[in-house]
Amino acid sequence: MRLRTALCSITSAMSALALLSACSGGSGTAAAGGAPLVGVDYPRSDTDFWNSYIKYTPQYAKELGLDLKTTNSQNDVAKLTANAQTFISQGVKGLAMAPQDTAAIAPTLAQLEAKKIPVVTVDTRPDTGKVFMVVRADNRAYGEKACRFLGTKLGGQGKVVMLEGGLDSINGRDRTEAFNDCMKKNYPGIKVFGEATNWDGAVAAQKLQTDLTANPDIKGVYMQSSFALSGTLQVLKQKGLLVDPKDPKHVFVVSNDGIPEELKSIGEGKIDATVSQPADLYAKYALDYLKAAIDGKTFKPGKTDHNSTIIQVREGLLEDQLSAPLVTADGGTYGGEASVKSDDKSLWGNNLG
């Protein structure tokens, strides 16, 4: 009788341990009701935009019932490759990343594909290789909207500086090419000074200062990201050009991100417009598509249920192009581009709390 009781106690203890192990969720499986383990690599944490994305990610992972592991590649493709190896060793069932060098990521994508780990890229699209979905807005539209705003404000005449992002990124190339194409086609009387900055605010500020010194009649600036906001405002202030939009000396500035500081600066008349990249929706739909991939779902080009359009970029590569509105002080229409007012509560930058 004592032996039987002891065996029963051992069996019960082993069953409890097995149950505890099954519920731990550390293996990345969905067995026994555990949440699927997914990895998210943050590309950087030195900008307000990406810090907002970092804030939203765990919130949406919880809402979607996903177990989350995160890393930060700090704008370094070698670190991103190493982080992907870490995720593989942890047994993730899906991975979201935002590779800033969109060419060099190809070998890592090939390895993940071989391991049957679906990948969603956020904000950027790989030059080659397969991913389950690209979650991005139409970056050519960013350049087009900035062009039409500045072209309208300058009456089709004058000089503008474009502070370009990194041209090793599809985003930098798309925004640069679209802005230049739009200016040549619609506002040939405007001269564009294109300045490569590699998404570096200090480089952007130095080049803007040089351009303004050589060309004091410059009347517009297109910053391809909010990375250049602080330096641009500082340079304009130093040169006595940070003045009310109604002042003849005012230099019209368009940014690109939609962070709270941009929206505040529009309201204060320091800058004039931005294009609001949806940091909240990038986080939400990156994770949503990872969950869909794990669940075996598939998608095809067409309208979505969240006010966006999925396009086929090339054979086997889909991109969900999320909405990214032009934002201005008055919510007007510029060169045919409608805008929303900077205090509109639908903008994520007005809802960070």
Side-chain angles (χ1 to χ4, degrees), residues 115-295:
K115 297 281 187 181
K116 299 190 184 305
I117 298 174
V119 175
V120 171
T121 62
V122 180
D123 180 54
T124 63
R125 181 178 70 230
D127 294 354
T128 60
K130 293 182 179 179
V131 299
F132 181 77
M133 183 68 72
V134 176
V135 175
R136 188 171 176 253
D138 182 351
N139 277 243
R140 287 193 62 86
Y142 295 175
E144 178 91 12
K145 291 175 182 181
C147 160
R148 291 187 177 276
F149 180 85
L150 288 176
T152 300
K153 284 294 187 180
L154 272 62
Q157 300 292 324
K159 299 176 181 178
V160 302
V161 177
M162 173 168 53
L163 299 174
E164 303 165 353
L167 298 184
D168 59 352
S169 161
I170 186 66
N171 290 354
R173 295 196 298 271
D174 275 358
R175 296 173 200 184
T176 298
E177 291 169 4
F179 187 84
N180 283 332
D181 290 348
C182 170
M183 281 294 181
K184 290 176 183 176
K185 179 180 178 181
N186 300 291
Y187 309 103
I190 293 180
K191 180 176 177 57
V192 178
F193 297 92
E195 299 291 2
T197 70
N198 198 32
W199 310 112
D200 187 314
V203 172
Q206 182 269 320
K207 291 192 173 183
L208 177 61
Q209 182 156 1
T210 299
D211 284 338
L212 284 169
T213 299
N215 300 273
D217 54 343
I218 284 171
K219 298 301 292 181
V221 178
Y222 171 36
M223 308 182 300
Q224 289 190 4
S225 167
S226 59
F227 76 92
L229 177 62
S230 176
T232 294
L233 293 180
Q234 184 177 12
V235 169
L236 292 177
K237 184 176 181 179
Q238 288 173 350
K239 292 193 169 289
L241 300 174
L242 194 61
V243 296
D244 187 85
K246 295 179 181 179
D247 191 308
K249 293 190 299 182
H250 181 77
V251 175
F252 293 97
V253 178
V254 182
S255 190
N256 199 144
D257 274 341
I259 63 171
E261 190 62 30
E262 287 175 322
L263 303 183
K264 179 182 177 184
S265 293
I266 292 173
E268 294 172 347
K270 294 179 179 178
I271 70 171
D272 303 274
T274 189
V275 180
S276 179
Q277 285 202 98
D280 55 341
L281 300 185
Y282 279 0
K284 178 177 181 178
Y285 287 106
L287 293 169
D288 193 62
Y289 281 118
L290 280 186
K291 188 173 187 296
I294 294 168
D295 292 342

Side-chain angles (χ1 to χ4, degrees), residues 136-138 142 145 275-282 285 304 306-309 320-326 340 347-348:
R136 188 171 176 253
D138 182 351
Y142 295 175
K145 291 175 182 181
V275 180
S276 179
Q277 285 202 98
D280 55 341
L281 300 185
Y282 279 0
Y285 287 106
T304 71
H306 48 270
N307 191 34
S308 67
T309 302
D320 187 352
Q321 295 192 328
L322 303 178
S323 176
L326 178 67
V340 299
L347 299 170
W348 68 268

Side-chain angles (χ1 to χ4, degrees), residues 64-137:
L64 290 165
L66 297 171
D67 193 7
L68 182 66
K69 295 283 188 181
T70 63
T71 56
N72 192 319
S73 54
Q74 300 174 345
N75 203 26
D76 185 332
V77 71
K79 289 182 179 178
L80 176 53
T81 297
N83 291 344
Q85 302 304 317
T86 299
F87 285 131
I88 291 171
S89 69
Q90 291 172 333
V92 299
K93 298 302 177 184
L95 176 56
M97 62 172 71
Q100 302 297 283
D101 187 330
T102 53
I105 195 60
T108 300
L109 294 179
Q111 183 181 16
L112 290 163
E113 183 183 9
K115 297 281 187 181
K116 299 190 184 305
I117 298 174
V119 175
V120 171
T121 62
V122 180
D123 180 54
T124 63
R125 181 178 70 230
D127 294 354
T128 60
K130 293 182 179 179
V131 299
F132 181 77
M133 183 68 72
V134 176
V135 175
R136 188 171 176 253

Side-chain angles (χ1 to χ4, degrees), residues 2-30:
R2 289 179 181 175
L3 179 60
R4 182 179 178 186
T5 301
L7 287 171
C8 288
S9 298
I10 292 171
T11 301
S12 297
M14 291 178 67
S15 298
L17 284 171
L19 180 61
L20 186 62
S21 176
C23 293
S24 68
S27 67
T29 69

